[in-house]
Amino acid sequence: MTESALSGSERKLAIYNRIADVFLTVPDEEMYERVLDIVLEALDSRHGVFGYIDQGGSLVCPSMTREIFAQCRMSDADIVFPADSWSGIWGESLTTKRAILSNSSGKVPEGHIAIARCVFVPIVDREELIGLLAVANRESDYGDADRAMLESIARRIGPILNARLVRDIKEQERLSAEAALQRALGEKDALLKELHHRVKNNMAVILSMISLQSEDVVHQETVDGMKKIQGRIRAMAFAHDQLYRSEDFRRVDLGDYTRRLSDSLFQTYSDRIGKVDLGTRISDVAVTIDVAIPCGLILNELIGNSLEHAFPDGARGEIVVALELREDGRIELAVTDNGVGLQGDAGTDRGGGLGLQLVELLAKQLGADLEMRWDHGADVRVRFSPEDQ
Amino acid sequence: MTRPTILVVEDEFIVAFELKVALEGMGFTVCGMVSSGEDAIDCVEREKPDCVLMDVSIRGEMDGIEAARHIRARFGTRTAFISGYPVEELMERAADVRPIGIFVKPLEYRELEIALGTVLLSGDADLN
């Protein structure tokens, strides 16, 4: 091998390496231009084109944007050339997948930069046309060596350009799949919200029907029973309302729910009780609706029980509602009061009755430990792990 | 003194009927029950109620807040809202309507009675 041939092949290797480096490190928007710069330098040419064939079969030439567009005065200057617009030497090169060299001025459209000399080489990978590489307007004529050089660069570029195009298509598909998924999620959220709203409205209708029905009832005991049922439904409706307002339709803010339920119960009993204060010690806990509803129903019974029985004859006192997330991860709900406890007539109701039966059942449903004491007023505690549900 | 009159705007008819019974139990007269903003405006013009009790999400083109805005601008009649939506959100949107109150469903009648009674029985429902 002669020394000039050796330096020639070293030069080629350096060019390939530079191009490969650009392919690996430069983002799409600059890559075509940077590769073309290297090719122009290697072939000592002023103008050139490096483009790819897109999915629709059009030739796209991102590399033309800088050098040629600055001088090009064509009114419809574009970087996308649909297959049916291919013409002239470059069109022939693309359709025949052959390199074409010309050292005579070709005919160009009005406003297009003049082409004195040029070499067009199609970029082909596995028989498939995937791009175009061209140089033009060198000071001296192009020769077979130049064409061979450009062809060899195009052969090197073929597989890596193809890999890049395939990757871009996959990326596009991934992005559009992601957008579709986002849309579907948004629709699901809207539907869920609508559903919770519907449940809440249905419960409001149920409450109205019970209320209307109780208008016709003369027995006070029956009226009271219906009121109790309404209280329980209301406690459930509040939970759905809480869910409907929450950002995450799977979690209920148990603290907020507890506060609202306690306030509401005090409101309901306000004309029957004397000076009873409500104390709350509530920490932030979020739970699923499966946990929230039993908790709400338990609170409803316990607070209602205290309001109804702990402070007879307008006695003063306090009911404390506490919700605590303990260090062991368990939740403790507690309702305590400083009322009469199990003394007097309250005792009969507090020992038995549907209310406390419900509390026991719901505590079981929660997998909770239930502690009830009435030594000095009431002290009822429910402890459970929210994960058991 | 005559019983204050209230127009009920609510698109769940059973809930509307229960409201009517409850309001009458509180000593008010319900002069109409309608389910859209358009009907509400017509009814206020015809019946001249002392106030309107309006659900925020109702039938028709306008929601309860828009209907209340029209009613207040044309007749000076004030509105109490009932809603299944968060109150905080509504307070901002409904601020310019100067509502008598915003009551969240399921309703606490005691609360409603006190608010309506304070405004209607003291006779300042028309004060803007």
Side-chain angles (χ1 to χ4, degrees):
Chain A
M1 211 185 272
T2 64
E3 200 173 303
S4 73
L6 187 67
S7 79
S9 73
E10 268 179 3
R11 220 179 117 239
K12 269 188 197 165
L13 197 62
I15 292 165
Y16 300 152
N17 284 343
R18 281 174 68 197
I19 290 174
D21 189 49
V22 169
F23 263 100
L24 285 175
T25 57
V26 176
D28 271 3
E29 56 270 24
E30 279 178 51
M31 187 272 285
Y32 291 91
E33 215 164 285
R34 294 271 297 274
V35 168
L36 184 62
D37 284 346
I38 296 167
V39 173
L40 291 179
E41 191 191 315
L43 285 146
D44 214 13
S45 300
R46 281 189 58 198
H47 298 124
V49 168
F50 174 27
Y52 65 89
I53 306 293
D54 71 9
Q55 275 180 285
S58 300
L59 174 69
V60 184
C61 302
S63 66
M64 280 174 51
T65 46
R66 196 173 61 187
E67 169 73 0
I68 297 186
F69 270 171
Q71 297 167 37
C72 177
R73 294 283 170 268
M74 283 174 70
S75 57
D76 60 345
D78 199 352
I79 61 165
V80 180
F81 304 90
D84 57 16
S85 73
W86 295 353
S87 61
I89 300 174
W90 62 277
E92 193 187 329
S93 165
L94 285 171
T95 42
T96 60
K97 290 192 228 172
R98 275 194 314 113
I100 296 178
L101 185 157
S102 162
N103 282 316
S104 57
S105 291
K107 222 182 111 210
V108 292
E110 173 110 21
H112 195 284
I113 55 163
I115 305 287
R117 306 176 181 90
C118 58
V119 186
F120 286 93
V121 174
I123 303 170
V124 177
D125 185 51
R126 276 166 283 182
E127 311 280 304
E128 199 188 331
L129 178 70
I130 61 165
L132 177 71
L133 192 58
V135 292
N137 296 348
R138 190 165 73 177
E139 294 293 314
S140 56
D141 282 356
Y142 291 108
D144 285 344
D146 299 312
R147 175 167 56 189
M149 172 81 154
L150 201 59
E151 280 186 302
S152 121
I153 292 174
R155 264 198 306 281
R156 297 272 170 153
I157 286 177
I160 39 181
L161 177 62
N162 201 16
R164 196 153 176 149
L165 292 175
V166 168
R167 189 202 64 186
D168 288 351
I169 291 167
K170 287 211 172 116
E171 179 68 10
Q172 266 308 317
E173 285 169 356
R174 193 185 62 79
L175 284 176
S176 71
E178 205 168 82
L181 197 65
Q182 278 303 329
R183 264 198 312 280
L185 271 177
E187 276 163 25
K188 198 200 77 180
D189 272 1
L191 274 175
L192 258 181
K193 199 175 165 113
E194 192 55 45
L195 186 67
H196 287 307
H197 197 209
R198 192 64 250 167
V199 170
K200 206 156 63 84
N201 274 2
N202 285 352
M203 287 184 156
V205 173
I206 293 170
L207 285 169
S208 290
M209 290 193 290
I210 297 172
S211 183
L212 289 167
Q213 192 70 54
S214 63
E215 294 285 320
D216 300 337
V217 176
V218 283
H219 295 291
Q220 190 55 41
E221 228 169 88
T222 315
V223 172
D224 288 349
M226 290 171 101
K227 281 229 163 74
K228 280 198 172 141
I229 291 171
Q230 279 186 296
R232 286 160 194 152
I233 294 169
R234 191 181 295 253
M236 294 175 79
F238 275 145
H240 283 280
D241 184 43
Q242 208 73 42
L243 205 59
Y244 167 73
R245 293 156 178 244
S246 109
E247 301 271 306
D248 172 0
F249 296 125
R250 283 161 289 274
R251 311 293 276 183
V252 177
D253 181 340
L254 190 57
D256 224 32
Y257 177 41
T258 302
R259 227 172 269 124
R260 207 171 146 212
L261 201 57
S262 311
D263 285 343
S264 155
L265 280 161
F266 266 69
Q267 281 275 2
T268 309
Y269 283 86
S270 61
D271 52 350
R272 268 191 273 167
I273 52 172
K275 282 262 168 238
V276 180
D277 294 321
L278 168 65
T280 49
R281 276 202 315 275
I282 290 170
S283 39
D284 267 344
V285 187
V287 295
T288 60
I289 187 105
D290 296 353
V291 174
I293 286 183
C295 286
L297 288 171
I298 288 172
L299 282 170
N300 180 64
E301 298 306 326
L302 295 177
I303 299 169
N305 213 339
S306 287
L307 283 166
E308 224 166 292
H309 303 295
F311 308 101
D313 310 319
R316 299 175 77 100
E318 188 187 28
I319 299 171
V320 177
V321 179
L323 168 69
E324 187 195 352
L325 181 60
R326 289 148 43 104
E327 274 177 17
D328 60 5
R330 279 156 70 88
I331 293 172
E332 181 177 277
L333 263 181
V335 177
T336 54
D337 68 53
N338 56 2
V340 296
L342 272 182
Q343 298 153 17
D345 72 319
T348 46
D349 244 56
R350 304 197 96 175
L354 178 61
L356 285 182
Q357 264 180 309
L358 288 178
V359 171
E360 278 169 16
L361 284 170
L362 293 164
K364 260 191 200 143
Q365 185 173 322
L366 285 170
D369 296 325
L370 177 63
E371 247 175 53
M372 296 199 259
R373 274 202 299 238
W374 280 284
D375 320 333
H376 313 283
D379 185 331
V380 183
R381 284 162 201 278
V382 179
R383 269 187 297 270
F384 61 95
S385 301
E387 286 82 31
D388 286 354
Q389 295 310 298
Chain B
M1 87 182 261
T2 54
R3 290 156 62 104
T5 54
I6 298 178
L7 167 66
V8 172
V9 190
E10 159 70 66
D11 62 353
E12 290 283 1
F13 282 52
I14 292 175
V15 175
F17 183 63
E18 191 225 344
L19 267 172
K20 174 185 152 86
V21 172
L23 289 167
E24 286 177 348
M26 296 174 196
F28 305 115
T29 297
V30 173
C31 63
M33 292 190 292
V34 295
S35 58
S36 76
E38 291 80 0
D39 288 350
I41 294 170
D42 289 348
C43 193
V44 171
E45 183 164 30
R46 207 170 51 239
E47 302 288 338
K48 310 255 178 308
D50 293 309
C51 89
V52 181
L53 186 59
M54 173 111 65
D55 191 0
V56 173
S57 60
I58 48 177
R59 290 185 191 173
E61 288 298 307
M62 55 184 123
D63 74 356
I65 294 175
E66 285 167 66
R69 197 169 286 137
H70 280 287
I71 287 169
R72 182 155 177 267
R74 283 181 59 186
F75 315 108
T77 313
R78 283 178 68 188
T79 296
F81 291 108
I82 44 181
S83 168
Y85 294 91
V87 173
E88 305 76 34
E89 213 173 277
L90 288 176
M91 283 216 267
E92 213 166 284
R93 276 189 57 216
D96 67 298
V97 187
R98 293 225 314 127
I100 293 169
I102 300 175
F103 304 92
V104 180
K105 286 188 203 173
L107 291 175
E108 288 295 341
Y109 283 133
R110 189 86 192 117
E111 206 185 338
L112 186 66
E113 182 175 6
I114 292 166
L116 290 178
T118 309
V119 174
L120 296 181
L121 300 174
S122 64
D124 64 355
D126 291 332
L127 295 183
N128 289 333

